Amino acid sequence: MKMRIRRKRRRPGLMLTSLLDMFTIILIFMIVSFEAEDYEFRLNPDLQLPESSARSLFKPAVNVAITRAGVLVLDELVAPFADGRAAPADYEAKQIPGVVDALSRVLSAQQALVDPTLDDEDEGPIVMLQADRDLAYETLYLVMRSARLAGFGKYRLTIMKK
Amino acid sequence: MFDRFREARDKPGELNLIPIMNLMITLIPFLMLGAAFYHLGVIPTSLPDKVEAAAEPPKEAVVTLNLVIEAQRMILTASSAAVDQDTLDALRVELPATPQGHDLKALVAQLVQIKGRYPKSDTLVVLPDGQLKYAELVEILDATRERALPGSTPDVPNFEPLFPVSVFSERILGEADAGAGDAQPGAQPGGAP
């Protein structure tokens, strides 16, 4: 009678060492690139920012995005464009009424929240502009003028750091 | 018979990696949500402001440069309340475009020369052509804002400021050479944030 020596079949264990190496490297990379900010900013996906060597720090302000579809103030479309351009009447009048109205409302709301008794060292109403790299200057200037008419005198042009 | 027990006793216990894998699975998605894969910056700028002319001339000679940007050339002029008109006219320069685009090297050379004569000057009013692309304008502003000194490296940046305050204006047709813009008489550049 042949006796067969059966060895207990052990289930092969998972090789976790390699996976742990990979996760450790990914974790270190994520910790290094982690940035926690307390402001909310959304980069508009319909435009591509120009690259710049500017070293000014990113500071949040009233977000205005100029896309081919139109001008968005705080993610709300306030002035539609036709083929990336405003209406000819807007260029002649040197303002976009929709943008002026929207930003005026935003400024009023901001000023209602500001406590006048506080010693505010803020630089005043500021607009942060996101614009596509191929946008014509005349359209950019038109939006800036409209923001000026609404009471915003300073601007921050958002760029992608090189 | 006792070899099996000796083997089990002498064999070192294996690390239980399951808990640390749990930790990794939890931490990595959380950190991925906050990871910055691209970095944003800002270029502060303003539009011209109308201010009352100062009663007394400024003590130090400061010039404000006006840069007209056309498709085929750039025109650099200067304005100042403390410098005589002949000197300002001598600062005027026209820079034709090269086949690669606007001649930024020549522009920077001129700005360095003017900055050397009037070190307190820091304002540049840009008057681009209406069809100039935003990316090209940003490239020109990068050249006029500052320049990297010899020996500057990404790890140890060493920059010399040129004209970091930029003011956007609009050209008035028919006055291209004068660089006249949107500004009202007596207007001064608004302070950039």
Side-chain angles (χ1 to χ4, degrees):
Chain A
M1 191 166 68
K2 227 176 184 179
M3 289 180 66
R4 285 185 183 178
I5 301 173
R6 284 188 182 179
R7 291 185 180 177
K8 262 191 181 178
R9 284 191 180 178
R10 299 170 65 186
R11 286 184 180 179
L14 279 177
M15 189 67 173
L16 293 179
T17 310
S18 307
L19 193 63
L20 191 60
D21 282 341
M22 185 184 70
F23 273 173
T24 303
I25 293 170
I26 292 174
L27 186 68
I28 291 171
F29 172 77
M30 292 294 172
I31 289 172
V32 168
S33 61
F34 181 77
E35 286 187 9
E37 296 289 352
D38 60 352
Y39 56 79
E40 185 182 344
F41 173 77
R42 183 174 168 270
L43 187 61
N44 194 295
D46 297 329
L47 54 86
Q48 187 179 0
L49 294 176
E51 290 186 352
S52 170
S53 59
R55 297 182 294 139
S56 295
L57 294 177
F58 182 82
K59 293 181 190 175
V62 177
N63 192 2
V64 175
I66 310 171
T67 68
R68 286 188 64 83
V71 181
L72 294 92
V73 174
L74 299 178
D75 294 333
E76 181 189 343
L77 183 67
V78 299
F81 281 178
D83 198 23
R85 284 181 58 83
D90 292 341
Y91 288 103
E92 288 178 12
K94 294 192 177 180
Q95 60 171 298
I96 303 176
V99 174
V100 177
D101 293 339
L103 286 176
S104 298
R105 287 197 299 270
V106 169
L107 184 60
S108 301
Q110 278 186 345
Q111 288 171 341
L113 293 173
V114 170
D115 185 351
T117 61
L118 289 176
D119 184 16
D120 194 0
E121 295 181 356
D122 195 82
E123 307 108 330
I126 303 174
V127 157
M128 188 165 62
L129 290 167
Q130 303 179 45
D132 188 78
R133 55 184 294 119
D134 293 327
L135 181 74
Y137 176 75
E138 61 179 352
T139 307
L140 173 67
Y141 188 75
L142 183 64
V143 174
M144 292 173 75
R145 269 194 71 116
S146 304
R148 160 63 71 85
L149 292 172
F152 290 86
K154 294 179 180 175
Y155 314 88
R156 290 179 183 146
L157 304 178
T158 311
I159 49 92
M160 196 80 71
K161 284 190 179 179
K162 280 183 183 173
Chain B
M1 182 174 129
F2 293 102
D3 288 343
R4 208 186 307 165
F5 293 108
R6 191 179 300 125
E7 196 179 311
R9 182 193 64 197
D10 294 338
K11 191 176 177 184
E14 290 183 359
L15 282 175
N16 185 6
L17 296 178
I18 303 296
I20 197 166
M21 290 304 299
N22 284 340
L23 186 67
M24 294 290 182
I25 294 295
T26 306
L27 273 181
I28 286 176
F30 170 73
L31 290 175
M32 279 182 72
L33 290 174
F37 294 103
Y38 52 83
H39 296 275
L40 299 178
V42 293
I43 297 176
T45 185
S46 61
L47 295 184
D49 278 335
K50 181 181 176 183
V51 296
E52 298 298 326
E56 296 178 2
K59 293 179 182 177
E60 292 186 34
V62 174
V63 298
T64 299
L65 296 184
N66 305 295
L67 181 65
V68 175
I69 307 172
E70 297 178 356
Q72 300 302 324
R73 61 176 181 170
M74 290 186 290
I75 305 170
L76 186 65
T77 58
S79 56
S80 173
V83 179
D84 61 282
Q85 191 58 43
D86 290 338
T87 306
L88 292 176
D89 290 342
L91 294 176
R92 183 186 185 281
V93 66
E94 194 170 312
L95 303 166
T98 64
Q100 289 77 32
H102 292 290
D103 193 352
L104 298 181
K105 283 186 179 177
L107 175 64
V108 171
Q110 285 296 321
L111 294 179
V112 169
Q113 187 182 351
I114 296 173
K115 186 75 175 180
R117 290 176 63 176
Y118 307 101
K120 295 290 184 183
S121 307
D122 63 357
T123 302
L124 177 76
V125 179
V126 290
L127 300 107
D129 178 69
Q131 301 308 312
L132 181 73
K133 287 187 180 177
Y134 180 39
E136 293 178 32
L137 175 61
V138 168
E139 194 177 345
I140 293 172
L141 290 179
D142 283 350
T144 60
R145 184 181 313 112
E146 59 191 4
R147 68 165 184 151
L149 294 173
S152 175
T153 61
D155 294 327
V156 186
N158 189 10
F159 290 91
E160 173 194 8
L162 292 176
F163 293 83
V165 179
S166 58
V167 178
F168 286 15
S169 188
E170 186 182 32
R171 291 176 55 197
I172 297 175
L173 292 179
E175 299 189 34
D177 287 355
D182 186 33
Q184 298 296 318
Q188 296 294 325

